[in-house]
Amino acid sequence: MMRPEVQGTLQARSAPPDALGRVLSDLRISVIDRCNFRCPYCMPEEAYPADHAFQRARERLGFEEIERIARAFVSLGVRKLRLTGGEPLLRRDLPDLVARLAAIEGVEDLALTSNGALLPKFARPLREAGLRRVTLSMDSVDPDIFRRMSGGRGELADAEAAIAAAERAGFGPLKINCVVMRGVNDDGILDLVARFRGSGHVVRFIEYMDVGTVNRWRDDRVVPGAELVQRIDARWPLEAMPRDRMSTSRRWRFRDGAGELGFINSVTEPFCGGCTRARLSADGKLYTCLFAHAGHDLRALLRAGESDAALRATVAGIWSHRGDRYSERRAELRAAGVLEHVEMYRIGG
Ligand code: SF4
């Protein structure tokens, strides 16, 4: 629980809202750009073969640098930190970073997004270090389609083992992300729902997005969240849950009490108006939108010996000028040829 005097100080120093009145509250921290999967909607194999030159260790922020940046964001009002990648569990000694971040006064939520393949080895040490929540991914319960959607690198059995390991370590309920691509895995969504109904875990269906520059996005491959709701409702009646404007997910629950589902409809029902997320890449660039073209180099600031106060002022300044709302303007921007976006794996989705 945050000490009152710290609460007061933190509130006093929150960052000004951005140009659209959105108040900074979440920081997603990518700790590595490498991944052990090659999901076609993020890091397709043909664009990232095994010998692709990813960032070298010295290019990545060290744990002390990540902690300094996180402290600056927390002092500016951030309450939620999420560790991402690439695949964050590929970053050595990750529990040490978790322990550093968990110790920051003001952090109310510390989560991790992972494909889970390495989780059985790390679930308990991460939990003991202070990690609060884990979000995993499962794009299909059909082993062949699962393998295909991981670029031939992942096995459904490993994803199931990750869920079991997370449960044993005391994480739960888990969020299970599923990116839906028409003609690839959408025929299997009822089977995926059946797998998790009554489990307490929440499946979140994510619309296939034009992230980055290499996933060959086509809008006819997008299955609107509303269509998925209809398909599922026909099998298991659903009811909408109250809308949380700050959440990316539209929540629905089963009328028979078997739990809930989430739908992240960035393409058909954009949520930029409530977007309060900043993203930090593993090499220390601050991105103000998932579809940003370029980031702001905080690593250079740190390595030039700038103070924490200078870091905080820089971040507050960047945020106050933020006007991003790509998803709301997607059609117009794509028509205008605005197709250059940072690769999603570099900023963790
Ligand atoms: S498109 Fe950008 S501004 Fe809109 S919700 Fe996504 S990250 Fe936020």
Side-chain angles (χ1 to χ4, degrees), residues 88 97 161 178 202 205 207 251 268:
L97 175 61
C178 169
V202 178
F205 293 104
E207 287 181 347
R251 300 166 64 197
T268 59

Side-chain angles (χ1 to χ4, degrees), residues 22 248 266 270-277 279 288-292 322 324-328 330:
R22 299 166 293 188
T248 58
S266 163
F271 37 78
C272 303
C275 180
T276 57
R277 247 151 270 116
R279 292 170 168 87
T288 54
C289 174
L290 177 58
F291 298 89
R322 175 192 188 233
D324 301 276
R325 54 190 190 92
Y326 174 84
S327 286
E328 287 175 355
R330 176 178 275 108

Side-chain angles (χ1 to χ4, degrees), residues 288-329:
T288 54
C289 174
L290 177 58
F291 298 89
H293 170 56
H296 306 264
D297 193 347
L298 301 183
R299 184 189 65 186
L301 244 161
L302 293 182
R303 295 187 181 177
E306 291 290 346
S307 69
D308 290 342
L311 175 63
R312 225 185 358 258
T314 302
V315 170
I318 292 165
W319 186 263
S320 67
H321 290 92
R322 175 192 188 233
D324 301 276
R325 54 190 190 92
Y326 174 84
S327 286
E328 287 175 355
R329 302 179 57 206

Side-chain angles (χ1 to χ4, degrees), residues 64-246:
E64 189 263 337
E65 292 174 318
I66 295 174
E67 183 187 344
R68 273 188 69 193
I69 293 175
R71 281 187 182 281
F73 275 87
V74 172
S75 76
L76 290 167
V78 161
R79 295 291 167 267
K80 292 185 182 180
L81 300 176
R82 178 174 289 274
L83 298 175
T84 67
E87 170 47 47
L89 298 181
L90 288 172
R91 180 81 189 244
R92 200 174 296 161
D93 304 326
L94 193 67
D96 298 350
L97 175 61
V98 167
R100 283 172 176 261
L101 300 177
I104 299 175
E105 192 87 53
V107 172
E108 293 170 3
D109 188 15
L110 181 53
L112 173 100
T113 299
S114 166
N115 63 34
L118 301 171
L119 193 60
K121 186 174 165 201
F122 295 105
R124 195 163 294 287
L126 289 168
R127 184 71 175 171
E128 286 162 2
L131 190 67
R132 306 260 185 103
R133 295 188 298 125
V134 169
T135 297
L136 297 172
S137 54
M138 190 181 280
D139 293 328
S140 179
V141 289
D142 175 311
D144 296 331
I145 295 179
F146 182 98
R147 194 175 305 112
R148 185 174 155 204
M149 290 203 70
S150 70
R153 308 262 185 120
E155 296 299 335
L156 178 64
D158 296 337
E160 289 289 359
I163 292 167
E167 291 169 340
R168 281 195 306 275
F171 293 108
L174 305 172
K175 291 195 173 147
I176 311 286
N177 286 349
C178 169
V179 175
V180 183
M181 296 172 73
R182 194 180 295 284
V184 181
N185 64 333
D186 66 304
D187 286 350
I189 59 137
L190 294 184
D191 296 337
L192 186 68
V193 171
R195 158 66 184 85
F196 289 103
R197 261 173 54 81
S199 71
H201 303 312
V202 178
V203 175
R204 302 194 309 172
F205 293 104
I206 302 175
E207 287 181 347
Y208 174 39
M209 292 181 280
D210 51 333
V211 289
T213 61
V214 290
N215 75 358
R216 301 168 185 240
W217 185 78
R218 291 187 354 228
D219 59 7
D220 62 359
R221 278 268 169 99
V222 175
V223 182
E227 179 185 329
L228 294 178
V229 168
Q230 272 174 3
R231 289 196 205 178
I232 298 164
D233 182 63
R235 177 76 178 72
W236 299 284
L238 296 171
E239 62 183 349
M241 297 173 71
R243 179 94 177 89
D244 170 0
R245 202 168 157 271
M246 310 309 274

Side-chain angles (χ1 to χ4, degrees), residues 5-18:
E5 68 277 11
V6 173
Q7 174 111 35
T9 326
L10 288 174
Q11 267 155 355
R13 286 191 301 194
S14 289
D18 74 8

